[in-house]
PDB file of all heavy atoms in Angstrom:
ATOM      1  N   ILE A 325       7.844  28.726   5.032  1.00 93.00           N
ATOM      2  CA  ILE A 325       8.534  27.702   5.814  1.00 93.00           C
ATOM      3  C   ILE A 325       9.980  28.121   6.051  1.00 93.00           C
ATOM      4  O   ILE A 325      10.780  28.142   5.105  1.00 93.00           O
ATOM      5  CB  ILE A 325       8.509  26.347   5.072  1.00 93.00           C
ATOM      6  CG1 ILE A 325       7.079  25.964   4.699  1.00 93.00           C
ATOM      7  CG2 ILE A 325       9.179  25.262   5.900  1.00 93.00           C
ATOM      8  CD1 ILE A 325       7.005  24.804   3.709  1.00 93.00           C
ATOM      9  N   PRO A 326      10.341  28.480   7.274  1.00 91.00           N
ATOM     10  CA  PRO A 326      11.765  28.759   7.538  1.00 91.00           C
ATOM     11  C   PRO A 326      12.590  27.523   7.182  1.00 91.00           C
ATOM     12  O   PRO A 326      12.241  26.407   7.552  1.00 91.00           O
ATOM     13  CB  PRO A 326      11.793  29.042   9.047  1.00 91.00           C
ATOM     14  CG  PRO A 326      10.388  29.482   9.376  1.00 91.00           C
ATOM     15  CD  PRO A 326       9.508  28.680   8.466  1.00 91.00           C
ATOM     16  N   PHE A 327      13.665  27.734   6.439  1.00 90.00           N
ATOM     17  CA  PHE A 327      14.496  26.610   5.997  1.00 90.00           C
ATOM     18  C   PHE A 327      15.029  25.846   7.199  1.00 90.00           C
ATOM     19  O   PHE A 327      15.562  26.420   8.139  1.00 90.00           O
ATOM     20  CB  PHE A 327      15.660  27.131   5.145  1.00 90.00           C
ATOM     21  CG  PHE A 327      16.665  26.075   4.786  1.00 90.00           C
ATOM     22  CD1 PHE A 327      16.319  25.006   3.975  1.00 90.00           C
ATOM     23  CD2 PHE A 327      17.970  26.146   5.277  1.00 90.00           C
ATOM     24  CE1 PHE A 327      17.264  24.027   3.648  1.00 90.00           C
ATOM     25  CE2 PHE A 327      18.907  25.180   4.957  1.00 90.00           C
ATOM     26  CZ  PHE A 327      18.549  24.109   4.138  1.00 90.00           C
ATOM     27  N   ASN A 328      14.863  24.517   7.154  1.00 81.00           N
ATOM     28  CA  ASN A 328      15.355  23.647   8.216  1.00 81.00           C
ATOM     29  C   ASN A 328      16.690  23.043   7.780  1.00 81.00           C
ATOM     30  O   ASN A 328      16.755  22.309   6.795  1.00 81.00           O
ATOM     31  CB  ASN A 328      14.338  22.534   8.499  1.00 81.00           C
ATOM     32  CG  ASN A 328      13.046  23.096   9.063  1.00 81.00           C
ATOM     33  OD1 ASN A 328      13.060  23.781  10.073  1.00 81.00           O
ATOM     34  ND2 ASN A 328      11.929  22.820   8.401  1.00 81.00           N
ATOM     35  N   PRO A 329      17.769  23.350   8.490  1.00 79.00           N
ATOM     36  CA  PRO A 329      19.095  22.914   8.046  1.00 79.00           C
ATOM     37  C   PRO A 329      19.288  21.404   8.155  1.00 79.00           C
ATOM     38  O   PRO A 329      18.624  20.731   8.938  1.00 79.00           O
ATOM     39  CB  PRO A 329      20.038  23.651   9.004  1.00 79.00           C
ATOM     40  CG  PRO A 329      19.207  23.925  10.220  1.00 79.00           C
ATOM     41  CD  PRO A 329      17.809  24.126   9.746  1.00 79.00           C
ATOM     42  N   TRP A 330      20.211  20.896   7.332  1.00 76.00           N
ATOM     43  CA  TRP A 330      20.595  19.484   7.376  1.00 76.00           C
ATOM     44  C   TRP A 330      22.050  19.390   6.927  1.00 76.00           C
ATOM     45  O   TRP A 330      22.576  20.302   6.292  1.00 76.00           O
ATOM     46  CB  TRP A 330      19.683  18.613   6.505  1.00 76.00           C
ATOM     47  CG  TRP A 330      19.353  19.151   5.144  1.00 76.00           C
ATOM     48  CD1 TRP A 330      18.278  19.919   4.805  1.00 76.00           C
ATOM     49  CD2 TRP A 330      20.094  18.966   3.926  1.00 76.00           C
ATOM     50  NE1 TRP A 330      18.302  20.213   3.463  1.00 76.00           N
ATOM     51  CE2 TRP A 330      19.395  19.647   2.901  1.00 76.00           C
ATOM     52  CE3 TRP A 330      21.277  18.289   3.593  1.00 76.00           C
ATOM     53  CZ2 TRP A 330      19.853  19.670   1.577  1.00 76.00           C
ATOM     54  CZ3 TRP A 330      21.726  18.307   2.277  1.00 76.00           C
ATOM     55  CH2 TRP A 330      21.009  18.986   1.283  1.00 76.00           C
ATOM     56  N   PRO A 331      22.733  18.291   7.262  1.00 77.00           N
ATOM     57  CA  PRO A 331      24.174  18.181   6.947  1.00 77.00           C
ATOM     58  C   PRO A 331      24.450  18.300   5.450  1.00 77.00           C
ATOM     59  O   PRO A 331      23.870  17.575   4.648  1.00 77.00           O
ATOM     60  CB  PRO A 331      24.526  16.775   7.457  1.00 77.00           C
ATOM     61  CG  PRO A 331      23.487  16.457   8.481  1.00 77.00           C
ATOM     62  CD  PRO A 331      22.237  17.129   8.007  1.00 77.00           C
ATOM     63  N   GLY A 332      25.295  19.244   5.069  1.00 75.00           N
ATOM     64  CA  GLY A 332      25.665  19.404   3.665  1.00 75.00           C
ATOM     65  C   GLY A 332      24.791  20.365   2.888  1.00 75.00           C
ATOM     66  O   GLY A 332      24.998  20.559   1.689  1.00 75.00           O
ATOM     67  N   ALA A 333      23.802  20.974   3.543  1.00 80.00           N
ATOM     68  CA  ALA A 333      22.900  21.891   2.834  1.00 80.00           C
ATOM     69  C   ALA A 333      23.664  23.103   2.321  1.00 80.00           C
ATOM     70  O   ALA A 333      24.590  23.597   2.970  1.00 80.00           O
ATOM     71  CB  ALA A 333      21.789  22.339   3.769  1.00 80.00           C
ATOM     72  N   ASN A 334      23.236  23.591   1.165  1.00 84.00           N
ATOM     73  CA  ASN A 334      23.912  24.704   0.501  1.00 84.00           C
ATOM     74  C   ASN A 334      23.238  26.043   0.785  1.00 84.00           C
ATOM     75  O   ASN A 334      23.621  27.033   0.194  1.00 84.00           O
ATOM     76  CB  ASN A 334      23.903  24.459  -1.011  1.00 84.00           C
ATOM     77  CG  ASN A 334      25.296  24.528  -1.608  1.00 84.00           C
ATOM     78  OD1 ASN A 334      26.266  24.647  -0.882  1.00 84.00           O
ATOM     79  ND2 ASN A 334      25.387  24.458  -2.921  1.00 84.00           N
ATOM     80  N   TYR A 335      22.220  26.052   1.648  1.00 89.00           N
ATOM     81  CA  TYR A 335      21.416  27.256   1.861  1.00 89.00           C
ATOM     82  C   TYR A 335      21.348  27.605   3.342  1.00 89.00           C
ATOM     83  O   TYR A 335      21.599  26.775   4.210  1.00 89.00           O
ATOM     84  CB  TYR A 335      19.997  27.046   1.319  1.00 89.00           C
ATOM     85  CG  TYR A 335      19.953  26.699  -0.150  1.00 89.00           C
ATOM     86  CD1 TYR A 335      19.791  25.385  -0.576  1.00 89.00           C
ATOM     87  CD2 TYR A 335      20.107  27.683  -1.123  1.00 89.00           C
ATOM     88  CE1 TYR A 335      19.761  25.065  -1.931  1.00 89.00           C
ATOM     89  CE2 TYR A 335      20.086  27.379  -2.476  1.00 89.00           C
ATOM     90  CZ  TYR A 335      19.916  26.058  -2.870  1.00 89.00           C
ATOM     91  OH  TYR A 335      19.903  25.752  -4.212  1.00 89.00           O
ATOM     92  N   GLU A 336      20.966  28.859   3.591  1.00 91.00           N
ATOM     93  CA  GLU A 336      20.714  29.326   4.957  1.00 91.00           C
ATOM     94  C   GLU A 336      19.279  29.806   5.053  1.00 91.00           C
ATOM     95  O   GLU A 336      18.666  30.193   4.050  1.00 91.00           O
ATOM     96  CB  GLU A 336      21.638  30.492   5.308  1.00 91.00           C
ATOM     97  CG  GLU A 336      23.104  30.145   5.394  1.00 91.00           C
ATOM     98  CD  GLU A 336      23.934  31.382   5.745  1.00 91.00           C
ATOM     99  OE1 GLU A 336      23.530  32.130   6.667  1.00 91.00           O
ATOM    100  OE2 GLU A 336      24.945  31.619   5.063  1.00 91.00           O
ATOM    101  N   CYS A 337      18.754  29.797   6.265  1.00 92.00           N
ATOM    102  CA  CYS A 337      17.397  30.305   6.480  1.00 92.00           C
ATOM    103  C   CYS A 337      17.390  31.831   6.448  1.00 92.00           C
ATOM    104  O   CYS A 337      18.308  32.491   6.941  1.00 92.00           O
ATOM    105  CB  CYS A 337      16.881  29.817   7.828  1.00 92.00           C
ATOM    106  SG  CYS A 337      15.168  30.304   8.158  1.00 92.00           S
ATOM    107  N   SER A 338      16.349  32.384   5.862  1.00 94.00           N
ATOM    108  CA  SER A 338      16.173  33.839   5.865  1.00 94.00           C
ATOM    109  C   SER A 338      16.099  34.353   7.300  1.00 94.00           C
ATOM    110  O   SER A 338      15.654  33.646   8.212  1.00 94.00           O
ATOM    111  CB  SER A 338      14.875  34.205   5.138  1.00 94.00           C
ATOM    112  OG  SER A 338      14.860  33.692   3.826  1.00 94.00           O
ATOM    113  N   ASP A 339      16.521  35.591   7.495  1.00 95.00           N
ATOM    114  CA  ASP A 339      16.436  36.197   8.823  1.00 95.00           C
ATOM    115  C   ASP A 339      14.974  36.367   9.232  1.00 95.00           C
ATOM    116  O   ASP A 339      14.108  36.607   8.377  1.00 95.00           O
ATOM    117  CB  ASP A 339      17.112  37.567   8.812  1.00 95.00           C
ATOM    118  CG  ASP A 339      18.611  37.474   8.508  1.00 95.00           C
ATOM    119  OD1 ASP A 339      19.214  36.438   8.838  1.00 95.00           O
ATOM    120  OD2 ASP A 339      19.140  38.431   7.907  1.00 95.00           O
ATOM    121  N   PRO A 340      14.679  36.262  10.532  1.00 94.00           N
ATOM    122  CA  PRO A 340      13.290  36.390  10.996  1.00 94.00           C
ATOM    123  C   PRO A 340      12.604  37.672  10.515  1.00 94.00           C
ATOM    124  O   PRO A 340      11.430  37.643  10.129  1.00 94.00           O
ATOM    125  CB  PRO A 340      13.424  36.364  12.523  1.00 94.00           C
ATOM    126  CG  PRO A 340      14.666  35.567  12.770  1.00 94.00           C
ATOM    127  CD  PRO A 340      15.588  35.910  11.639  1.00 94.00           C
ATOM    128  N   GLU A 341      13.319  38.807  10.541  1.00 96.00           N
ATOM    129  CA  GLU A 341      12.706  40.065  10.105  1.00 96.00           C
ATOM    130  C   GLU A 341      12.388  40.049   8.613  1.00 96.00           C
ATOM    131  O   GLU A 341      11.394  40.623   8.166  1.00 96.00           O
ATOM    132  CB  GLU A 341      13.625  41.243  10.442  1.00 96.00           C
ATOM    133  CG  GLU A 341      13.666  41.574  11.922  1.00 96.00           C
ATOM    134  CD  GLU A 341      12.269  41.833  12.489  1.00 96.00           C
ATOM    135  OE1 GLU A 341      11.499  42.610  11.879  1.00 96.00           O
ATOM    136  OE2 GLU A 341      11.946  41.244  13.536  1.00 96.00           O
ATOM    137  N   ARG A 342      13.242  39.388   7.825  1.00 97.00           N
ATOM    138  CA  ARG A 342      13.010  39.277   6.382  1.00 97.00           C
ATOM    139  C   ARG A 342      11.766  38.426   6.112  1.00 97.00           C
ATOM    140  O   ARG A 342      10.944  38.750   5.265  1.00 97.00           O
ATOM    141  CB  ARG A 342      14.242  38.642   5.709  1.00 97.00           C
ATOM    142  CG  ARG A 342      14.047  38.401   4.227  1.00 97.00           C
ATOM    143  CD  ARG A 342      14.576  39.546   3.364  1.00 97.00           C
ATOM    144  NE  ARG A 342      14.047  40.867   3.583  1.00 97.00           N
ATOM    145  CZ  ARG A 342      13.025  41.397   2.886  1.00 97.00           C
ATOM    146  NH1 ARG A 342      12.400  40.715   1.955  1.00 97.00           N
ATOM    147  NH2 ARG A 342      12.648  42.626   3.111  1.00 97.00           N
ATOM    148  N   ILE A 343      11.617  37.332   6.867  1.00 97.00           N
ATOM    149  CA  ILE A 343      10.438  36.467   6.714  1.00 97.00           C
ATOM    150  C   ILE A 343       9.181  37.243   7.088  1.00 97.00           C
ATOM    151  O   ILE A 343       8.164  37.183   6.384  1.00 97.00           O
ATOM    152  CB  ILE A 343      10.572  35.197   7.585  1.00 97.00           C
ATOM    153  CG1 ILE A 343      11.778  34.365   7.130  1.00 97.00           C
ATOM    154  CG2 ILE A 343       9.292  34.358   7.519  1.00 97.00           C
ATOM    155  CD1 ILE A 343      12.071  33.153   8.014  1.00 97.00           C
ATOM    156  N   LYS A 344       9.277  38.003   8.175  1.00 97.00           N
ATOM    157  CA  LYS A 344       8.134  38.790   8.625  1.00 97.00           C
ATOM    158  C   LYS A 344       7.733  39.819   7.567  1.00 97.00           C
ATOM    159  O   LYS A 344       6.541  40.019   7.284  1.00 97.00           O
ATOM    160  CB  LYS A 344       8.477  39.482   9.950  1.00 97.00           C
ATOM    161  CG  LYS A 344       7.325  40.239  10.582  1.00 97.00           C
ATOM    162  CD  LYS A 344       7.747  40.822  11.929  1.00 97.00           C
ATOM    163  CE  LYS A 344       6.603  41.601  12.564  1.00 97.00           C
ATOM    164  NZ  LYS A 344       7.022  42.196  13.869  1.00 97.00           N
ATOM    165  N   ARG A 345       8.700  40.465   6.968  1.00 98.00           N
ATOM    166  CA  ARG A 345       8.439  41.466   5.923  1.00 98.00           C
ATOM    167  C   ARG A 345       7.791  40.809   4.701  1.00 98.00           C
ATOM    168  O   ARG A 345       6.825  41.336   4.133  1.00 98.00           O
ATOM    169  CB  ARG A 345       9.759  42.148   5.534  1.00 98.00           C
ATOM    170  CG  ARG A 345       9.701  43.026   4.302  1.00 98.00           C
ATOM    171  CD  ARG A 345       8.833  44.248   4.490  1.00 98.00           C
ATOM    172  NE  ARG A 345       8.824  45.041   3.267  1.00 98.00           N
ATOM    173  CZ  ARG A 345       7.900  45.947   2.992  1.00 98.00           C
ATOM    174  NH1 ARG A 345       6.909  46.176   3.838  1.00 98.00           N
ATOM    175  NH2 ARG A 345       7.970  46.636   1.858  1.00 98.00           N
ATOM    176  N   PHE A 346       8.315  39.659   4.279  1.00 97.00           N
ATOM    177  CA  PHE A 346       7.768  38.924   3.138  1.00 97.00           C
ATOM    178  C   PHE A 346       6.305  38.565   3.404  1.00 97.00           C
ATOM    179  O   PHE A 346       5.423  38.775   2.559  1.00 97.00           O
ATOM    180  CB  PHE A 346       8.602  37.652   2.922  1.00 97.00           C
ATOM    181  CG  PHE A 346       8.373  36.958   1.607  1.00 97.00           C
ATOM    182  CD1 PHE A 346       9.290  37.070   0.571  1.00 97.00           C
ATOM    183  CD2 PHE A 346       7.266  36.145   1.411  1.00 97.00           C
ATOM    184  CE1 PHE A 346       9.105  36.411  -0.638  1.00 97.00           C
ATOM    185  CE2 PHE A 346       7.060  35.478   0.214  1.00 97.00           C
ATOM    186  CZ  PHE A 346       7.987  35.619  -0.822  1.00 97.00           C
ATOM    187  N   SER A 347       6.057  38.048   4.607  1.00 97.00           N
ATOM    188  CA  SER A 347       4.693  37.672   4.997  1.00 97.00           C
ATOM    189  C   SER A 347       3.755  38.874   4.955  1.00 97.00           C
ATOM    190  O   SER A 347       2.618  38.784   4.469  1.00 97.00           O
ATOM    191  CB  SER A 347       4.711  37.051   6.397  1.00 97.00           C
ATOM    192  OG  SER A 347       3.405  36.796   6.850  1.00 97.00           O
TER     193      SER A 347
END
Side-chain angles (χ1 to χ4, degrees):
I325 306 167
F327 173 65
N328 294 304
W330 44 268
N334 234 6
Y335 302 100
E336 294 180 45
C337 183
S338 304
D339 297 331
E341 287 305 312
R342 176 94 302 265
I343 297 175
K344 185 177 179 181
R345 170 66 180 161
F346 194 103
S347 174

